[in-house]
Amino acid sequence: MRPTASEYDVVVIGGGPAGSTVAALTAESGLRVLLLDRETFPRFRIGESLMPATYWTLERLGVLEYMKCSDFPQKHSVQFFTASGRAARPFYFSETDAHESSQSWQVDRAKFDKMLLDNAREKGAEICEGVSVRDLKLANPNPDEYNATVSGVEIELADGARRGITAGVTVDATGQSALIAKRLRLRQLDRNLLHCAFFTRFSGAWRGEGIDEGGTLIMHTEAGESWFWYIPLPGGEVSVGVVGPIHKLKQGRDSNPQAVFDSELARCVRLQEKLEGAEQTDKVGVLKDFSYTSKRIAGDGWVLAGDAFGFLDPIYSTGVFLALKGGEMAADSIIDAFAVGDLSGSRLGRHGPEFLAGMEAMRKMVYAYYSTDFNFAEFLKAYPDCTDQLVHLLIGNVYRKDVTGLLESMDRYRELPTYRPMPLAEA
Protein backbone atom coordinates (compact mmCIF):
# COMPACT_ATOMS: atom_id res chain seq x y z
CA MET A 1 0.00 0.00 0.00
CA ARG A 2 1.42 3.36 -1.03
CA PRO A 3 0.86 6.67 0.75
CA THR A 4 -1.24 8.31 -1.97
CA ALA A 5 -0.73 11.84 -0.62
CA SER A 6 3.02 11.70 -1.25
CA GLU A 7 4.83 12.66 -4.44
CA TYR A 8 7.23 9.74 -3.99
CA ASP A 9 7.22 6.49 -2.11
CA VAL A 10 10.90 6.87 -1.24
CA VAL A 11 13.21 9.86 -1.25
CA VAL A 12 16.90 9.05 -0.76
CA ILE A 13 19.29 11.78 0.39
CA GLY A 14 22.82 11.01 -0.85
CA GLY A 15 24.08 9.19 -3.93
CA GLY A 16 27.00 7.23 -2.49
CA PRO A 17 27.07 3.41 -2.32
CA ALA A 18 24.38 3.16 0.39
CA GLY A 19 22.00 5.63 -1.23
CA SER A 20 22.45 4.25 -4.74
CA THR A 21 21.82 0.72 -3.47
CA VAL A 22 18.61 1.67 -1.66
CA ALA A 23 17.40 3.63 -4.70
CA ALA A 24 18.21 0.89 -7.19
CA LEU A 25 16.53 -1.93 -5.27
CA THR A 26 13.43 -0.03 -4.19
CA ALA A 27 12.90 1.38 -7.69
CA GLU A 28 13.37 -2.10 -9.16
CA SER A 29 10.59 -3.33 -6.87
CA GLY A 30 8.18 -0.83 -8.42
CA LEU A 31 8.27 1.99 -5.88
CA ARG A 32 8.45 5.64 -6.93
CA VAL A 33 11.96 6.72 -5.92
CA LEU A 34 13.76 10.06 -5.96
CA LEU A 35 17.47 10.31 -5.12
CA LEU A 36 18.99 13.71 -4.30
CA ASP A 37 22.66 14.63 -4.04
CA ARG A 38 24.18 18.04 -3.51
CA GLU A 39 27.19 17.19 -5.69
CA THR A 40 27.54 16.31 -9.35
CA PHE A 41 29.02 12.92 -10.18
CA PRO A 42 31.75 11.81 -10.63
CA ARG A 43 33.25 13.24 -7.43
CA PHE A 44 36.21 12.24 -5.28
CA ARG A 45 35.80 10.00 -2.24
CA ILE A 46 38.33 8.17 -0.10
CA GLY A 47 37.80 4.47 0.71
CA GLU A 48 38.96 2.54 -2.35
CA SER A 49 39.42 -1.02 -1.09
CA LEU A 50 36.43 -3.38 -1.36
CA MET A 51 36.00 -6.30 1.02
CA PRO A 52 35.32 -9.48 -0.99
CA ALA A 53 31.84 -9.86 0.51
CA THR A 54 30.70 -6.79 -1.45
CA TYR A 55 30.38 -9.33 -4.29
CA TRP A 56 26.92 -10.44 -3.18
CA THR A 57 25.33 -6.98 -3.15
CA LEU A 58 27.06 -6.07 -6.41
CA GLU A 59 25.64 -9.27 -7.91
CA ARG A 60 22.13 -8.41 -6.76
CA LEU A 61 22.50 -4.90 -8.19
CA GLY A 62 23.50 -6.41 -11.54
CA VAL A 63 26.86 -4.65 -11.84
CA LEU A 64 29.31 -7.56 -11.55
CA GLU A 65 30.03 -7.59 -15.29
CA TYR A 66 30.96 -3.92 -15.13
CA MET A 67 33.37 -4.70 -12.30
CA LYS A 68 34.90 -7.65 -14.13
CA CYS A 69 35.47 -5.58 -17.28
CA SER A 70 36.83 -2.52 -15.44
CA ASP A 71 40.47 -1.51 -15.01
CA PHE A 72 40.16 -1.75 -11.22
CA PRO A 73 43.05 -3.85 -9.84
CA GLN A 74 41.97 -7.24 -8.54
CA LYS A 75 42.32 -7.69 -4.78
CA HIS A 76 43.10 -11.23 -3.64
CA SER A 77 44.62 -10.61 -0.23
CA VAL A 78 45.54 -8.34 2.65
CA GLN A 79 49.00 -8.36 4.23
CA PHE A 80 50.01 -6.94 7.61
CA PHE A 81 53.43 -5.56 8.63
CA THR A 82 54.53 -5.24 12.25
CA ALA A 83 56.01 -2.11 13.83
CA SER A 84 59.47 -3.66 13.29
CA GLY A 85 58.74 -3.99 9.58
CA ARG A 86 58.31 -7.77 9.53
CA ALA A 87 55.79 -8.91 6.93
CA ALA A 88 53.23 -11.56 7.84
CA ARG A 89 52.15 -14.03 5.18
CA PRO A 90 49.31 -12.50 3.13
CA PHE A 91 45.76 -13.64 3.92
CA TYR A 92 44.66 -15.03 0.55
CA PHE A 93 40.88 -15.06 0.65
CA SER A 94 40.44 -17.89 -1.86
CA GLU A 95 42.38 -20.31 0.35
CA THR A 96 39.44 -20.23 2.74
CA ASP A 97 36.62 -19.78 0.21
CA ALA A 98 37.36 -20.88 -3.35
CA HIS A 99 34.28 -19.12 -4.77
CA GLU A 100 34.92 -16.25 -7.20
CA SER A 101 33.52 -13.88 -4.56
CA SER A 102 36.87 -14.17 -2.75
CA GLN A 103 38.43 -11.92 -5.36
CA SER A 104 37.57 -8.25 -4.95
CA TRP A 105 38.74 -4.93 -6.39
CA GLN A 106 40.62 -1.74 -5.52
CA VAL A 107 38.41 0.96 -7.00
CA ASP A 108 38.56 4.56 -8.08
CA ARG A 109 35.62 5.77 -6.01
CA ALA A 110 34.74 8.53 -8.47
CA LYS A 111 34.14 5.95 -11.22
CA PHE A 112 32.71 3.29 -8.89
CA ASP A 113 30.17 5.57 -7.23
CA LYS A 114 29.02 7.00 -10.56
CA MET A 115 28.52 3.46 -11.86
CA LEU A 116 26.27 2.67 -8.90
CA LEU A 117 24.33 5.91 -9.33
CA ASP A 118 23.82 5.27 -13.05
CA ASN A 119 22.63 1.78 -12.19
CA ALA A 120 19.97 3.21 -9.87
CA ARG A 121 18.85 5.50 -12.68
CA GLU A 122 18.63 2.57 -15.10
CA LYS A 123 16.46 0.68 -12.63
CA GLY A 124 13.92 3.49 -12.53
CA ALA A 125 15.02 5.86 -9.77
CA GLU A 126 14.78 9.56 -10.56
CA ILE A 127 18.19 11.13 -9.92
CA CYS A 128 18.70 14.84 -9.17
CA GLU A 129 22.30 16.02 -8.73
CA GLY A 130 23.35 19.46 -7.51
CA VAL A 131 20.35 19.66 -5.18
CA SER A 132 20.84 20.44 -1.48
CA VAL A 133 18.49 19.15 1.20
CA ARG A 134 18.04 22.00 3.66
CA ASP A 135 15.60 20.46 6.11
CA LEU A 136 13.25 17.61 6.87
CA LYS A 137 9.46 17.72 6.74
CA LEU A 138 8.59 16.83 10.33
CA ALA A 139 5.28 16.26 12.08
CA ASN A 140 6.69 17.63 15.33
CA PRO A 141 8.47 21.03 15.37
CA ASN A 142 10.72 19.89 18.26
CA PRO A 143 11.50 16.30 17.38
CA ASP A 144 13.57 13.78 19.27
CA GLU A 145 14.33 10.16 18.47
CA TYR A 146 10.94 8.98 19.75
CA ASN A 147 8.48 11.43 18.24
CA ALA A 148 10.11 12.28 14.90
CA THR A 149 7.84 11.41 11.98
CA VAL A 150 9.44 12.39 8.67
CA SER A 151 7.25 12.95 5.62
CA GLY A 152 9.78 14.31 3.15
CA VAL A 153 12.41 17.00 2.68
CA GLU A 154 12.87 20.68 1.95
CA ILE A 155 15.32 21.22 -0.91
CA GLU A 156 17.25 24.07 -2.50
CA LEU A 157 17.84 23.97 -6.25
CA ALA A 158 20.94 25.21 -8.06
CA ASP A 159 19.22 28.56 -8.79
CA GLY A 160 18.47 29.09 -5.09
CA ALA A 161 14.78 28.25 -5.34
CA ARG A 162 13.33 26.17 -2.51
CA ARG A 163 10.50 23.65 -2.43
CA GLY A 164 9.18 20.79 -0.36
CA ILE A 165 9.00 17.17 -1.47
CA THR A 166 6.75 14.63 0.26
CA ALA A 167 7.57 10.95 0.54
CA GLY A 168 6.35 7.89 2.40
CA VAL A 169 9.90 7.04 3.47
CA THR A 170 12.94 9.31 3.69
CA VAL A 171 16.31 7.55 3.59
CA ASP A 172 19.29 9.40 5.02
CA ALA A 173 22.38 8.24 3.13
CA THR A 174 24.30 11.50 3.52
CA GLY A 175 27.43 9.83 4.88
CA GLN A 176 29.10 11.50 7.84
CA SER A 177 26.93 14.58 7.33
CA ALA A 178 24.22 12.39 8.93
CA LEU A 179 21.36 14.83 8.50
CA ILE A 180 18.74 12.91 10.50
CA ALA A 181 21.09 11.45 13.14
CA LYS A 182 22.47 14.89 13.97
CA ARG A 183 19.03 16.55 13.92
CA LEU A 184 17.64 13.95 16.34
CA ARG A 185 20.85 13.72 18.41
CA LEU A 186 21.23 10.02 17.69
CA ARG A 187 24.95 9.73 16.98
CA GLN A 188 27.18 8.06 19.58
CA LEU A 189 30.96 8.18 19.14
CA ASP A 190 33.15 5.24 20.14
CA ARG A 191 35.44 6.49 22.92
CA ASN A 192 37.98 3.79 22.01
CA LEU A 193 38.40 4.87 18.39
CA LEU A 194 38.76 8.65 18.18
CA HIS A 195 41.08 8.57 15.18
CA CYS A 196 41.94 10.70 12.18
CA ALA A 197 43.50 10.01 8.78
CA PHE A 198 45.98 11.85 6.55
CA PHE A 199 46.01 10.54 2.97
CA THR A 200 47.29 11.17 -0.55
CA ARG A 201 48.25 9.35 -3.77
CA PHE A 202 51.51 8.43 -5.48
CA SER A 203 52.49 7.32 -8.97
CA GLY A 204 55.46 5.16 -9.85
CA ALA A 205 55.39 3.38 -6.48
CA TRP A 206 56.08 -0.32 -5.88
CA ARG A 207 53.51 -2.84 -7.13
CA GLY A 208 53.34 -6.53 -6.39
CA GLU A 209 53.36 -9.15 -9.14
CA GLY A 210 50.73 -11.62 -10.26
CA ILE A 211 48.13 -12.36 -7.63
CA ASP A 212 49.82 -9.87 -5.27
CA GLU A 213 49.59 -6.87 -7.59
CA GLY A 214 46.33 -5.58 -6.12
CA GLY A 215 46.77 -6.70 -2.51
CA THR A 216 46.15 -4.29 0.34
CA LEU A 217 49.13 -3.64 2.63
CA ILE A 218 48.72 -2.54 6.25
CA MET A 219 51.92 -1.21 7.84
CA HIS A 220 52.50 -0.14 11.43
CA THR A 221 54.75 2.81 12.19
CA GLU A 222 57.76 2.04 14.37
CA ALA A 223 56.09 2.94 17.68
CA GLY A 224 52.92 1.06 16.76
CA GLU A 225 50.74 4.08 17.51
CA SER A 226 49.59 4.57 13.93
CA TRP A 227 49.35 2.56 10.70
CA PHE A 228 49.46 3.15 6.95
CA TRP A 229 47.25 1.71 4.23
CA TYR A 230 48.76 1.03 0.82
CA ILE A 231 46.17 0.39 -1.91
CA PRO A 232 47.04 -0.09 -5.62
CA LEU A 233 44.72 1.87 -7.92
CA PRO A 234 44.08 2.03 -11.68
CA GLY A 235 46.56 3.94 -13.82
CA GLY A 236 49.59 2.97 -11.78
CA GLU A 237 48.67 5.06 -8.74
CA VAL A 238 48.53 3.95 -5.13
CA SER A 239 46.42 5.38 -2.32
CA VAL A 240 48.45 5.87 0.87
CA GLY A 241 47.10 7.07 4.18
CA VAL A 242 48.01 7.05 7.86
CA VAL A 243 45.49 6.48 10.65
CA GLY A 244 45.94 6.93 14.38
CA PRO A 245 44.55 8.57 17.52
CA ILE A 246 43.83 12.18 16.78
CA HIS A 247 45.64 13.38 19.92
CA LYS A 248 48.76 11.40 18.90
CA LEU A 249 48.94 12.41 15.25
CA LYS A 250 48.44 16.09 15.97
CA GLN A 251 50.24 16.37 19.29
CA GLY A 252 53.12 18.85 19.07
CA ARG A 253 53.01 18.74 15.26
CA ASP A 254 52.89 21.35 12.58
CA SER A 255 49.23 21.87 11.63
CA ASN A 256 50.18 21.44 7.97
CA PRO A 257 48.73 18.07 6.82
CA GLN A 258 51.75 17.40 4.59
CA ALA A 259 54.07 17.85 7.56
CA VAL A 260 52.07 15.37 9.65
CA PHE A 261 52.06 12.82 6.79
CA ASP A 262 55.80 13.21 6.20
CA SER A 263 56.53 12.87 9.90
CA GLU A 264 54.61 9.59 10.10
CA LEU A 265 56.19 8.33 6.88
CA ALA A 266 59.61 8.88 8.46
CA ARG A 267 58.58 6.37 11.14
CA CYS A 268 57.64 3.60 8.67
CA VAL A 269 60.73 2.19 6.94
CA ARG A 270 58.88 -0.46 4.93
CA LEU A 271 56.59 2.16 3.42
CA GLN A 272 59.58 4.35 2.55
CA GLU A 273 60.94 1.38 0.57
CA LYS A 274 57.64 1.00 -1.31
CA LEU A 275 57.59 4.70 -2.20
CA GLU A 276 61.23 5.04 -3.25
CA GLY A 277 61.36 6.95 -6.54
CA ALA A 278 57.58 7.58 -6.51
CA GLU A 279 55.94 10.96 -7.09
CA GLN A 280 53.19 12.33 -4.87
CA THR A 281 50.30 13.29 -7.17
CA ASP A 282 47.84 14.91 -4.78
CA LYS A 283 47.82 17.13 -1.73
CA VAL A 284 47.37 15.49 1.65
CA GLY A 285 43.75 15.28 2.74
CA VAL A 286 42.50 14.98 6.32
CA LEU A 287 39.50 13.14 7.73
CA LYS A 288 38.25 12.55 11.24
CA ASP A 289 37.89 8.78 11.26
CA PHE A 290 35.81 8.79 14.44
CA SER A 291 33.90 5.52 14.79
CA TYR A 292 30.23 5.84 15.75
CA THR A 293 26.76 4.36 15.52
CA SER A 294 23.33 5.91 15.94
CA LYS A 295 20.93 4.98 18.72
CA ARG A 296 18.28 4.04 16.16
CA ILE A 297 18.44 2.90 12.54
CA ALA A 298 14.88 3.89 11.66
CA GLY A 299 11.81 5.77 12.84
CA ASP A 300 8.36 6.56 11.53
CA GLY A 301 8.87 7.39 7.87
CA TRP A 302 12.69 7.41 7.96
CA VAL A 303 15.69 5.09 7.70
CA LEU A 304 19.44 5.60 8.14
CA ALA A 305 21.84 3.83 5.74
CA GLY A 306 25.61 3.67 5.33
CA ASP A 307 27.76 6.17 7.21
CA ALA A 308 24.61 8.12 8.09
CA PHE A 309 23.92 5.30 10.58
CA GLY A 310 27.45 4.35 11.59
CA PHE A 311 31.11 4.24 10.68
CA LEU A 312 33.86 1.85 11.74
CA ASP A 313 37.62 2.43 11.70
CA PRO A 314 38.95 1.68 8.17
CA ILE A 315 41.63 -0.87 9.15
CA TYR A 316 39.69 -3.74 7.50
CA SER A 317 38.15 -1.70 4.64
CA THR A 318 34.64 -2.14 6.03
CA GLY A 319 33.24 1.20 4.83
CA VAL A 320 31.91 0.43 1.33
CA PHE A 321 30.91 -3.10 2.36
CA LEU A 322 28.75 -1.87 5.27
CA ALA A 323 27.31 0.85 3.04
CA LEU A 324 26.33 -1.63 0.32
CA LYS A 325 25.04 -4.27 2.71
CA GLY A 326 23.27 -1.75 4.90
CA GLY A 327 21.68 -0.20 1.82
CA GLU A 328 20.54 -3.62 0.61
CA MET A 329 19.04 -4.55 3.98
CA ALA A 330 17.36 -1.15 4.32
CA ALA A 331 15.84 -1.54 0.85
CA ASP A 332 14.38 -4.92 1.80
CA SER A 333 12.85 -3.46 4.98
CA ILE A 334 11.35 -0.59 2.98
CA ILE A 335 9.93 -2.89 0.30
CA ASP A 336 8.42 -5.08 3.02
CA ALA A 337 6.99 -2.05 4.84
CA PHE A 338 5.16 -0.87 1.71
CA ALA A 339 3.93 -4.39 1.01
CA VAL A 340 2.15 -4.54 4.39
CA GLY A 341 1.22 -0.85 4.53
CA ASP A 342 3.22 -0.14 7.68
CA LEU A 343 5.82 2.66 7.52
CA SER A 344 6.50 2.71 11.24
CA GLY A 345 10.01 2.76 12.65
CA SER A 346 9.68 -0.78 13.96
CA ARG A 347 8.85 -2.08 10.49
CA LEU A 348 11.37 0.04 8.59
CA GLY A 349 14.12 -0.92 11.04
CA ARG A 350 13.52 -4.68 11.08
CA HIS A 351 16.99 -5.29 9.66
CA GLY A 352 18.68 -3.27 12.39
CA PRO A 353 19.62 -6.05 14.87
CA GLU A 354 21.09 -8.28 12.16
CA PHE A 355 23.01 -5.44 10.54
CA LEU A 356 24.39 -4.19 13.86
CA ALA A 357 25.47 -7.71 14.91
CA GLY A 358 27.71 -7.96 11.84
CA MET A 359 29.10 -4.50 12.45
CA GLU A 360 29.88 -5.35 16.08
CA ALA A 361 31.73 -8.52 15.04
CA MET A 362 33.96 -6.34 12.89
CA ARG A 363 34.36 -3.85 15.74
CA LYS A 364 35.85 -6.59 17.92
CA MET A 365 38.44 -7.25 15.22
CA VAL A 366 39.28 -3.55 15.16
CA TYR A 367 39.72 -3.51 18.93
CA ALA A 368 42.01 -6.53 18.70
CA TYR A 369 44.18 -4.82 16.07
CA TYR A 370 44.68 -1.74 18.25
CA SER A 371 45.20 -3.68 21.48
CA THR A 372 48.84 -3.84 22.59
CA ASP A 373 48.06 -7.14 24.35
CA PHE A 374 46.56 -8.91 21.35
CA ASN A 375 48.85 -10.71 18.90
CA PHE A 376 47.04 -12.40 16.01
CA ALA A 377 49.89 -14.81 15.24
CA GLU A 378 50.00 -15.99 18.85
CA PHE A 379 46.21 -16.13 18.97
CA LEU A 380 46.05 -18.45 15.95
CA LYS A 381 48.73 -20.69 17.47
CA ALA A 382 46.59 -20.99 20.58
CA TYR A 383 43.33 -21.35 18.61
CA PRO A 384 44.26 -22.82 15.18
CA ASP A 385 40.65 -23.85 14.57
CA CYS A 386 39.78 -20.12 14.31
CA THR A 387 41.89 -19.48 11.19
CA ASP A 388 39.08 -19.99 8.69
CA GLN A 389 36.63 -17.87 10.68
CA LEU A 390 39.25 -15.12 10.94
CA VAL A 391 39.69 -15.05 7.16
CA HIS A 392 35.91 -15.11 6.69
CA LEU A 393 35.74 -12.02 8.87
CA LEU A 394 38.46 -10.35 6.77
CA ILE A 395 36.42 -11.29 3.70
CA GLY A 396 33.35 -9.69 5.27
CA ASN A 397 31.27 -12.85 5.53
CA VAL A 398 29.68 -11.79 8.81
CA TYR A 399 26.20 -12.10 7.29
CA ARG A 400 26.87 -15.42 5.57
CA LYS A 401 29.04 -17.36 8.02
CA ASP A 402 28.85 -17.94 11.76
CA VAL A 403 31.91 -16.33 13.39
CA THR A 404 30.65 -16.69 16.95
CA GLY A 405 33.35 -19.24 17.81
CA LEU A 406 36.07 -16.82 16.73
CA LEU A 407 34.65 -13.97 18.81
CA GLU A 408 34.30 -16.18 21.89
CA SER A 409 37.87 -17.45 21.50
CA MET A 410 39.15 -13.88 21.19
CA ASP A 411 37.43 -13.06 24.48
CA ARG A 412 39.09 -16.04 26.14
CA TYR A 413 42.51 -15.12 24.74
CA ARG A 414 42.54 -11.48 25.81
CA GLU A 415 40.12 -9.04 27.39
CA LEU A 416 39.24 -6.47 24.73
CA PRO A 417 37.59 -3.08 25.15
CA THR A 418 33.83 -2.76 25.00
CA TYR A 419 31.98 -0.17 22.96
CA ARG A 420 31.52 2.84 25.25
CA PRO A 421 29.50 5.41 23.35
CA MET A 422 29.79 9.11 23.97
CA PRO A 423 27.59 11.97 22.67
CA LEU A 424 28.84 13.75 19.57
CA ALA A 425 29.04 17.03 21.50
CA GLU A 426 31.78 15.65 23.77
CA ALA A 427 34.24 14.93 20.93
Side-chain angles (χ1 to χ4, degrees):
M1 183 176 72
R2 296 177 177 177
T4 55
S6 298
E7 297 172 75
Y8 295 92
D9 296 317
V10 182
V11 61
V12 181
I13 317 170
S20 293
T21 298
V22 174
L25 296 179
T26 53
E28 189 175 45
S29 76
L31 297 176
R32 298 167 295 163
V33 180
L34 171 67
L35 184 149
L36 306 167
D37 199 287
R38 65 187 178 186
E39 297 183 87
T40 300
F41 286 59
R43 81 285 187 272
F44 172 80
R45 283 293 183 275
I46 196 69
E48 303 93 347
S49 190
L50 303 188
M51 293 186 94
T54 56
Y55 173 96
W56 303 103
T57 304
L58 296 174
E59 179 185 52
R60 183 173 175 187
L61 290 171
V63 297
L64 274 182
E65 285 307 309
Y66 174 93
M67 298 299 294
K68 292 177 181 179
C69 295
S70 71
D71 64 348
F72 300 149
Q74 294 183 1
K75 173 185 172 182
H76 293 271
S77 66
V78 59
Q79 185 176 24
F80 295 88
F81 292 75
T82 67
S84 65
R86 183 175 61 84
R89 183 180 182 275
F91 286 95
Y92 292 106
F93 309 126
S94 60
E95 291 182 352
T96 296
D97 186 353
H99 190 272
E100 72 170 5
S101 62
S102 289
Q103 177 258 297
S104 187
W105 294 271
Q106 312 284 22
V107 301
D108 180 329
R109 283 289 302 279
K111 293 167 61 177
F112 178 75
D113 288 12
K114 186 176 188 306
M115 177 270 295
L116 292 176
L117 189 67
D118 289 343
N119 183 62
R121 183 182 288 111
E122 291 167 6
K123 292 187 181 300
E126 182 180 341
I127 309 295
C128 292
E129 301 172 61
V131 175
S132 297
V133 174
R134 294 303 184 190
D135 207 350
L136 304 169
K137 296 178 73 69
L138 294 159
N140 189 319
N142 298 299
D144 59 30
E145 60 181 295
Y146 299 107
N147 67 8
T149 297
V150 179
S151 59
V153 295
E154 301 286 341
I155 66 169
E156 181 178 319
L157 303 175
D159 62 4
R162 295 199 178 201
R163 59 159 295 197
I165 295 175
T166 58
V169 176
T170 299
V171 179
D172 185 353
T174 57
Q176 297 194 20
S177 297
L179 177 66
I180 292 178
K182 287 184 178 179
R183 179 69 181 274
L184 303 182
R185 299 174 293 280
L186 298 175
R187 191 186 287 195
Q188 305 174 111
L189 297 175
D190 186 338
R191 295 176 185 269
N192 303 301
L193 299 171
L194 299 180
H195 294 167
C196 62
F198 293 77
F199 56 89
T200 186
R201 291 185 177 186
F202 291 84
S203 66
W206 175 89
R207 307 278 281 219
E209 297 180 352
I211 196 173
D212 295 321
E213 182 178 0
T216 295
L217 307 183
I218 302 295
M219 289 173 271
H220 263 304
T221 54
E222 61 188 18
E225 295 175 339
S226 59
W227 60 272
F228 276 93
W229 75 69
Y230 189 95
I231 298 172
L233 295 176
E237 285 194 313
V238 293
S239 171
V240 181
V242 61
V243 178
I246 191 167
H247 68 281
K248 292 285 187 181
L249 287 187
K250 291 191 172 183
Q251 186 178 37
R253 304 287 186 87
D254 189 319
S255 60
N256 184 308
Q258 183 71 56
V260 175
F261 182 91
D262 291 344
S263 178
E264 291 299 304
L265 176 58
R267 301 166 63 216
C268 188
V269 175
R270 293 304 297 269
L271 180 56
Q272 294 173 39
E273 295 171 357
K274 306 293 183 189
L275 295 178
E276 186 176 355
E279 177 185 358
Q280 185 176 330
T281 58
D282 201 359
K283 66 180 182 180
V284 175
V286 185
L287 281 177
K288 284 185 178 179
D289 271 337
F290 288 3
S291 297
Y292 59 86
T293 56
S294 298
K295 289 185 280 186
R296 299 184 65 187
I297 202 168
D300 295 348
W302 58 269
V303 182
L304 308 182
D307 287 359
F309 168 73
F311 176 79
L312 194 56
D313 186 277
I315 179 64
Y316 298 117
S317 303
T318 54
V320 175
F321 166 68
L322 289 173
L324 289 171
K325 188 62 182 179
E328 179 184 6
M329 295 171 79
D332 286 339
S333 291
I334 293 167
I335 293 166
D336 169 75
F338 275 98
V340 299
D342 178 5
L343 304 184
S344 67
S346 59
R347 196 81 193 190
L348 291 170
R350 289 182 70 191
H351 63 288
E354 180 185 2
F355 177 72
L356 191 58
M359 190 174 185
E360 291 310 299
M362 292 176 169
R363 187 187 304 276
K364 180 161 286 191
M365 286 284 289
V366 172
Y367 285 165
Y369 179 82
Y370 284 106
S371 172
T372 56
D373 295 329
F374 199 101
N375 182 292
F376 277 102
E378 292 180 0
F379 167 73
L380 291 177
K381 287 180 181 178
Y383 297 92
D385 56 320
C386 289
T387 301
D388 283 358
Q389 288 188 46
L390 175 61
V391 179
H392 274 300
L393 210 154
L394 293 173
I395 289 171
N397 280 338
V398 290
Y399 301 107
R400 301 178 64 84
K401 300 287 184 179
D402 183 6
V403 296
T404 304
L406 168 66
L407 303 179
E408 291 175 347
S409 295
M410 290 172 68
D411 282 335
R412 287 193 295 270
Y413 174 72
R414 289 288 187 276
E415 183 179 357
L416 293 171
T418 56
Y419 179 23
R420 297 184 300 120
M422 62 184 285
L424 180 64
E426 294 183 17

